[in-house]
Amino acid sequence: DVKVTQSSRYLVKRTGEKVFLECVQDMDHENMFWYRQDPGLGLRLIYFSYDVKMKEKGDIPEGYSVSREKKERFSLILESASTNQTSMYLCASSFLGEKSEAFFGQGTRLTVV
Amino acid sequence: GNSVTQMEGPVTLSEEAFLTINCTYTATGYPSLFWYVQYPGEGLQLLLKATKADDKGSNKGFEATYRKETTSFHLEKGSVQVSDSAVYFCALTLNYGGSQGNLIFGKGTKLSVKP
């Protein structure tokens, strides 16, 4: 069974804090993704990575950065959390190639107060 | 640009009713098309997929056919159950440049099935 594991289900952080969201996959997938999910807006891509140390900006990268030092781990970093970053964050992974399905983690609901 | 448009919800049906959720896309080249489902409190999981024109994806009684001429991938089920209540996302992936497998999602359609 493919597993994509996100480090926390629920997180509460203060404005201005540096926040780390961790994601680990166990299927040797090349691609890893971070999305945020908001009501009425669906899923929006923040960053994705198709190889170790490689990253590409998605649709809404402002205020975020990512790190991929090992193939199985993809971290999302909120440099200085703000209330408008309160959201559900979803990590996903897939093999390289357009026919590959993506596997998702359970999501992290982040609240910034 | 590349995009996916799906019908807005919420959709409320009675058990055993017929379901259609419309999805159309705009894409460069020949995308693969997917339907994902998100049950309450969970992440997304693949429901079905089609990788070329006229392919039909099917799973758990759901079906969708890749129609290149109408750029559509509508989701259908003949008889829905209460357990089908979830949010359904249409998505596509592209294969060009560095974006191999990058998923583009529609906004999702919430389905509620009443007993």
Side-chain angles (χ1 to χ4, degrees):
Chain A
D1 253 11
V2 174
K3 240 189 184 167
V4 180
T5 304
Q6 295 183 229
S7 51
S8 307
R9 287 296 300 272
Y10 301 94
L11 217 49
V12 180
K13 295 292 181 181
R14 295 197 181 277
T15 300
E17 275 193 78
K18 191 168 187 174
V19 181
F20 293 84
L21 302 183
E22 307 285 347
C23 176
V24 177
Q25 51 94 4
D26 64 0
M27 272 300 288
D28 204 33
H29 286 161
E30 293 89 0
N31 288 335
M32 294 190 75
F33 308 88
W34 276 107
Y35 293 88
R36 65 176 279 178
Q37 183 178 15
D38 300 289
L41 298 176
L43 274 75
R44 293 180 292 168
L45 182 66
I46 304 171
Y47 270 97
F48 75 99
S49 167
Y50 53 89
D51 200 356
V52 175
K53 297 193 189 296
M54 303 302 291
K55 61 185 179 185
E56 297 262 351
K57 291 181 180 179
D59 300 317
I60 51 164
E62 297 78 19
Y64 303 93
S65 62
V66 290
S67 173
R68 188 145 181 225
E69 296 295 321
K70 293 185 177 181
K71 191 175 186 179
E72 67 270 19
R73 186 180 295 270
F74 193 36
S75 303
L76 180 69
I77 304 154
L78 286 66
E79 298 291 344
S80 176
S82 64
T83 54
N84 63 12
Q85 293 178 309
T86 291
S87 186
M88 171 69 86
Y89 290 87
L90 293 171
C91 175
S93 69
S94 72
F95 287 116
L96 213 56
E98 79 281 8
K99 298 180 181 180
S100 300
E101 68 176 282
F103 293 84
F104 282 80
Q106 295 268 55
T108 296
R109 182 161 297 282
L110 172 67
T111 302
V112 182
V113 298
Chain B
N2 303 301
S3 65
V4 175
T5 303
Q6 61 182 104
M7 62 187 283
E8 298 208 7
V11 173
T12 302
L13 296 173
S14 297
E15 210 165 20
E16 299 184 3
F18 184 85
L19 168 72
T20 300
I21 301 177
N22 289 338
C23 171
T24 57
Y25 67 90
T26 303
T28 307
Y30 303 97
S32 294
L33 302 173
F34 301 80
W35 277 100
Y36 284 84
V37 59
Q38 185 179 33
Y39 298 104
E42 299 184 13
L44 278 71
Q45 55 185 275
L46 180 72
L47 181 60
L48 53 85
K49 71 178 186 180
T51 58
K52 61 183 190 297
D54 300 324
D55 265 4
K56 179 188 278 188
S58 61
N59 186 26
K60 298 182 182 179
F62 291 89
E63 291 183 342
T65 301
Y66 188 145
R67 301 281 186 208
K68 187 165 174 286
E69 63 277 10
T70 54
T71 62
S72 65
F73 193 54
H74 305 319
L75 182 69
E76 296 182 336
K77 187 175 186 183
S79 175
V80 294
Q81 306 300 311
V82 172
S83 57
D84 293 326
S85 298
V87 181
Y88 293 82
F89 292 91
C90 186
L92 64 83
T93 59
L94 300 165
N95 183 17
Y96 65 90
S99 302
Q100 293 189 49
N102 181 14
L103 270 170
I104 296 171
F105 284 92
K107 291 188 176 179
T109 303
K110 184 174 182 179
L111 170 67
S112 296
V113 180
K114 307 297 183 187

